[in-house]
Amino acid sequence: LARSASDILSVMSTLHATTSDPDGPQPTSGGLARLLCGRLPRAGNTAADSGKLVRALLDEAIGELRQPLGKLEEAMLRQVSSAAAPQFTAIRGIPALYRMLNKPVPTKASPYVESSMQPILALREAARSLAPADAVAAWARGAADAAAVEFSVQAAQLLESTRQQEASLRRLGGRGGTGGEAQQATDLDKIHMQLCLDADAFIAAAAELGAVAEGGNGLARLVEAVEPARQAYEAHRPPSAAP
């Protein structure tokens, strides 16, 4: 898919015609555009009109290629996101790491975070020799953001399931945590802290690719999804905690 998208980008680049003189026939970029315009008359109204017509036709051809390019890019991002998605199922196992085990508070991200980035980094590495750098960077950003959507879904499900479990424990007369004294982190706090560490590590890795949380994109949804866990994270995070 990356190779096919790269081929379309190459064709579009060849067709692209720009010129410092909007009425002149000679383009300054695009091999095919230079070839076509180079055969036009070089003076008079005919030259200007012919140059405008050729550029209009080339622009139309580029426009027709944008749709298949977009479809290829969408399919490519879905493919990479699907490869990363199974890693996020590890989020469901976070409670088992802390329930009734009296473990210390977490200080680093879970291994699945790094694993989830591997398909995205593999795409970037494979595409570097095929496509322009700006296109490869955009694909990597898009893939990271798409993966963040699945991360946000799993994170929200974890928080909802733990909320329900805590409510059940309270109804049964339990205190909803086994961390000991009030100042100490409960098991639930530790679960929340681990989720925040993992989300922060993923967001930081995505930022290295140029992807940021903005608007309603996947990274913004991830930030929103883990927000309910932030209070415990900030209250009990030791100085050594790092993504």
Side-chain angles (χ1 to χ4, degrees):
L1 292 176
R3 184 177 296 277
S4 297
S6 300
D7 289 343
I8 293 180
L9 285 170
S10 179
V11 172
M12 291 172 66
S13 177
T14 301
L15 293 172
H16 184 62
T18 60
T19 177
S20 57
D21 180 3
D23 295 324
Q26 296 298 319
T28 58
S29 67
L32 182 58
R34 283 197 300 271
L35 175 63
L36 293 175
C37 290
R39 295 177 178 274
L40 297 174
R42 294 181 177 275
N45 292 335
T46 300
D49 292 343
S50 297
K52 289 179 181 178
L53 176 60
V54 169
R55 285 195 297 276
L57 292 172
L58 292 172
D59 288 343
E60 183 178 350
I62 291 172
E64 291 296 324
L65 289 171
R66 293 192 188 281
Q67 182 175 3
L69 175 62
K71 295 292 185 182
L72 280 170
E73 289 177 332
E74 289 174 8
M76 179 170 53
L77 296 187
R78 284 197 303 270
Q79 188 179 66
V80 176
S81 178
S82 295
Q87 304 302 324
F88 298 124
T89 59
I91 293 173
R92 305 171 193 168
I94 291 177
L97 298 176
Y98 295 101
R99 291 284 191 197
M100 308 296 293
L101 296 177
N102 198 31
K103 283 189 175 181
V105 296
T107 60
K108 62 181 181 180
S110 303
Y112 75 83
V113 177
E114 182 177 355
S115 298
S116 70
M117 292 299 298
Q118 292 308 308
I120 301 167
L121 298 177
L123 167 66
R124 184 180 65 169
E125 189 62 29
R128 274 177 171 168
S129 62
L130 301 173
D134 57 345
V136 174
W139 295 343
R141 290 194 302 270
D145 194 69
V149 173
E150 178 62 23
F151 196 154
S152 70
V153 170
Q154 294 285 351
Q157 291 176 351
L158 173 68
L159 291 176
E160 177 59 20
S161 66
T162 55
R163 185 192 66 79
Q164 292 177 358
Q165 290 168 5
E166 293 301 308
S168 296
L169 286 172
R170 291 190 185 95
R171 286 196 298 271
L172 293 173
R175 56 188 302 269
T178 60
E181 300 176 1
Q183 288 84 0
Q184 294 180 328
T186 66
D187 290 345
L188 180 61
D189 291 333
K190 295 170 187 177
I191 293 168
H192 286 181
M193 292 176 69
Q194 186 65 69
L195 184 62
C196 287
L197 283 166
D198 295 350
D200 287 351
F202 184 87
I203 291 169
E208 292 182 2
L209 300 174
V212 296
E214 57 185 0
N217 70 355
L219 288 165
R221 289 171 61 177
L222 176 56
V223 171
E224 182 179 3
V226 300
E227 183 59 33
R230 283 289 166 195
Q231 183 175 356
Y233 178 65
E234 296 299 337
H236 300 287
R237 176 177 58 175
S240 59

